[in-house]
Amino acid sequence: MTSAVRHPADPEDPAPAAPGGSGGTAPAAPGGSGAPAPVAAGSAAGGAGAGAGVREPLTLDDFARLARGQLPAATWDFIAGGAGRERTLAANEAVFGAVRLRPRALPGIEEPDTSVEVLGSRWPAPVGIAPVAYHGLAHPDGEPATAAAAGALGLPLVVSTFAGRSLEEVAHAASAPLWLQLYCFRDHETTLGLARRARDSGYQALVLTVDTPFTGRRLRDLRNGFAVPAHIIPANLTGTAAAGSATPGAHSRLAFDRRLDWSFVARLGAASGLPVLAKGVLTAPDAEAAVAAGVAGIVVSNHGGRQLDGAPATLEALPEVVSAVRGRCPVLLDGGVRTGADVLAALALGARAVLVGRPALYALAVGGAAGVRRMLTLLTEDFADTMVLTGHAATGTIGPDTLAPPHHAPPHHGPPHHGPPTAPRPAPHRDRSHG
C-alpha cells in the first residue's frame, strides 16, 4: 500500500514577510535577481517591523495573501483576475465552500493510501499543477522551479504553451510526469511541432485546450493596460505564433484557430504518438464529443473563470460530465481547489484527480521552488487527513456517499446523485485575494 504523501517541513521552506510590510526580504520585481530569501521552517520572518511573528504559510489562502504583497498590482491582477464581472471566478470556490462532508467515527485508519493511477502513471496523491502561463512573472526561476518542486513530491506538472522557458529546460528540471497544454494556432504546424518536441523531451501526454477560440474579456487587464514584461517571452513559440504575445488578449484573437473542431484530436495524437486530453469541457454533449473524438481524458475546467463569465463552477459541472463519460476515460477537474476537502469532494463526484493553477504561482512568488513544494505538501497532507476523518483508507472508496445530501437540487442533469449544493449567487466581484 502506498502511504499518504507526508513530508516534514524542509529547512529551506520560506517564512516570508507580511504583505506590504518592511520586515524580511524585500520582494523583487518579476524577473529580477532577488527572490524572497528562504528561512528555516517554523521561524518567524522579520523582526520588530510589520512582518514580526509571521510564520510560514499554513494554507493555500496564506500563499495568496502573501503573494499579493510580493507582486506588482498589474501582475497580481493578471494572475488572480477572471473574465467579465468574475462571477464564475467567485463561483469556483463558493461551490466547494457549500459542500458538506460526512465524517466517520472510529475509522481505524492509521495512514491512508492517497495514490491514484492516471494514464498508466501512479501519482502519490490526486493532485497536479494546472497549466498557467509565464511562471517568470511570479519568480525569476520560472517553470523549472515549479517542475522541480512538483517532481520532489512525485506530482505532475502541466506545462503551458506560453511557458517562459523551453520545453526541454523544464523537462531537465522535472522528475515526475510532465504534460504539455496546447492551444491550436492558425498555423497548425506550430502546434504539431510543439507536440513532437514534447514527445521527444519525455512528456507523457498532451492537453488540448478546447474552450478558448480566443481569451475571455478580462477587465482588470484592460483597465491596467497589462502587457507581459519584455524580458518574459513565450520561449517555445516563434514567428507569427509569438508576434504580439505581450498583450495576451489581442494576440489570441490573431493567432488562435477559431475553426478548430474535434477532428484535431486524432491529428494531434497521430503526429505525436501521445495521449490527448481535452481541457475545458463543462457539458454532457461536449463530453460525448470528446470521447467520440478519441480523447484519453477530460479536464472539467472553465479556465479558472477566465473565459465565459457566467459559466458553471467546475464542481457544479463535474457530475454531468462524469455521467456522460461513463468511465470511458478519466475525468480530472481544475478551478477553485484550495483545501484537502475540496480534493476529496471532487473525487466523491467522480474526478480521478484535480489540478491547481493559481496557488502554484502564488507559492512560487512567495518562496520559489521551496514555496511550491510546501504548498503541495500542505494540500496533500490536508487531503490525507480528510480521508481519515471521512473513513477512507484508499482513494478508490471515495464516492458520493462521502458528501451530505444537498439542501438544493444540483443545477445540472443526469441521474440523481449527492452533488454539491447550489452555490449562492456571488455578489459583484470585490477583488478577492485568492483568485
Side-chain angles (χ1 to χ4, degrees), residues 181-244:
Q181 174 269 337
L182 290 169
Y183 296 106
C184 187
F185 294 92
R186 292 181 187 273
D187 174 12
H188 286 191
E189 185 53 38
T190 295
T191 304
L192 297 174
L194 287 172
R196 288 188 286 265
R197 279 178 59 192
R199 173 200 62 202
D200 294 344
S201 299
Y203 288 65
Q204 295 185 6
L206 304 174
V207 180
L208 179 65
T209 294
V210 297
D211 66 347
T212 310
F214 48 82
T215 61
R217 184 174 173 81
R218 301 169 191 171
L219 298 178
R220 297 201 211 188
D221 295 345
L222 293 172
R223 290 181 177 122
N224 292 332
F226 178 79
V228 179
H231 64 276
I232 298 176
I233 62 170
N236 298 291
L237 300 178
T238 59
T240 58

Side-chain angles (χ1 to χ4, degrees), residues 90-100 312-317 342 420-424:
N92 275 348
E93 290 191 49
V95 171
F96 275 112
V99 167
R100 296 295 176 263
T314 52
L315 194 68
E316 287 179 310
D342 296 345
T422 302

Side-chain angles (χ1 to χ4, degrees), residues 361-427:
L361 258 62
Y362 299 153
L364 191 64
V366 169
V372 177
R373 181 171 178 176
R374 177 164 181 79
M375 181 276 293
L376 291 171
T377 298
L378 289 171
L379 183 59
T380 54
E381 288 187 348
D382 190 22
F383 172 65
D385 288 349
T386 307
M387 283 183 64
V388 172
L389 294 172
T390 54
H392 295 286
T395 54
T397 67
I398 300 171
D401 58 356
T402 305
L403 307 183
H407 298 297
H408 306 286
H412 292 302
H413 338 295
H417 57 77
H418 292 155
T422 302
R425 180 181 297 274

Side-chain angles (χ1 to χ4, degrees), residues 19-376:
S22 57
T25 303
S33 59
V39 300
S43 65
V54 177
R55 296 185 179 273
E56 74 274 8
L58 297 176
T59 69
L60 273 61
D61 288 344
D62 287 347
F63 279 106
R65 176 177 54 82
L66 292 164
R68 188 171 190 177
Q70 302 275 27
L71 297 169
T75 300
W76 166 264
D77 280 344
F78 174 70
I79 296 170
R85 296 177 66 215
E86 302 187 339
R87 295 171 296 168
T88 298
L89 172 66
N92 275 348
E93 290 191 49
V95 171
F96 275 112
V99 167
R100 296 295 176 263
L101 306 179
R102 291 169 60 85
R104 290 293 302 273
L106 297 179
I109 301 166
E110 185 171 0
E111 289 289 346
D113 179 358
T114 60
S115 68
V116 293
E117 185 173 315
V118 182
L119 299 186
S121 292
R122 177 63 59 172
W123 299 2
V127 173
I129 297 181
V132 182
Y134 302 127
H135 290 208
L137 287 170
H139 191 282
D141 291 346
E143 287 83 4
T146 308
L153 303 181
L155 299 176
L157 165 65
V158 187
V159 179
S160 170
T161 291
F162 289 94
R165 300 291 188 91
S166 74
L167 301 183
E168 295 79 8
E169 187 178 0
V170 179
H172 182 73
S175 55
L178 286 179
W179 296 354
L180 174 63
Q181 174 269 337
L182 290 169
Y183 296 106
C184 187
F185 294 92
R186 292 181 187 273
D187 174 12
H188 286 191
E189 185 53 38
T190 295
T191 304
L192 297 174
L194 287 172
R196 288 188 286 265
R197 279 178 59 192
R199 173 200 62 202
D200 294 344
S201 299
Y203 288 65
Q204 295 185 6
L206 304 174
V207 180
L208 179 65
T209 294
V210 297
D211 66 347
T212 310
F214 48 82
T215 61
R217 184 174 173 81
R218 301 169 191 171
L219 298 178
R220 297 201 211 188
D221 295 345
L222 293 172
R223 290 181 177 122
N224 292 332
F226 178 79
V228 179
H231 64 276
I232 298 176
I233 62 170
N236 298 291
L237 300 178
T238 59
T240 58
S245 57
T247 51
H251 173 258
S252 70
R253 291 178 179 270
L254 293 173
F256 292 0
D257 185 1
R258 300 190 200 181
R259 301 166 299 173
L260 189 68
D261 60 33
W262 288 107
S263 66
F264 193 70
V265 170
R267 189 176 174 195
L268 195 56
S272 66
L274 294 176
V276 180
L277 295 88
K279 179 182 184 293
V281 173
L282 293 171
T283 66
D286 280 347
E288 290 281 6
V291 172
V295 299
I298 286 173
V299 182
V300 175
S301 173
N302 54 34
H303 218 98
R306 294 164 72 81
Q307 274 303 102
L308 176 63
D309 192 31
T314 52
L315 194 68
E316 287 179 310
L318 178 61
E320 177 180 342
V321 173
V322 168
S323 177
V325 168
R326 301 194 307 278
R328 290 174 287 176
C329 68
V331 176
L332 287 73
L333 173 144
D334 69 24
V337 174
R338 298 296 183 268
T339 69
D342 296 345
V343 179
L344 188 134
L347 268 61
L349 293 177
R352 183 74 57 85
V354 304
L355 304 173
V356 293
R358 290 181 178 95
L361 258 62
Y362 299 153
L364 191 64
V366 169
V372 177
R373 181 171 178 176
R374 177 164 181 79
M375 181 276 293
L376 291 171

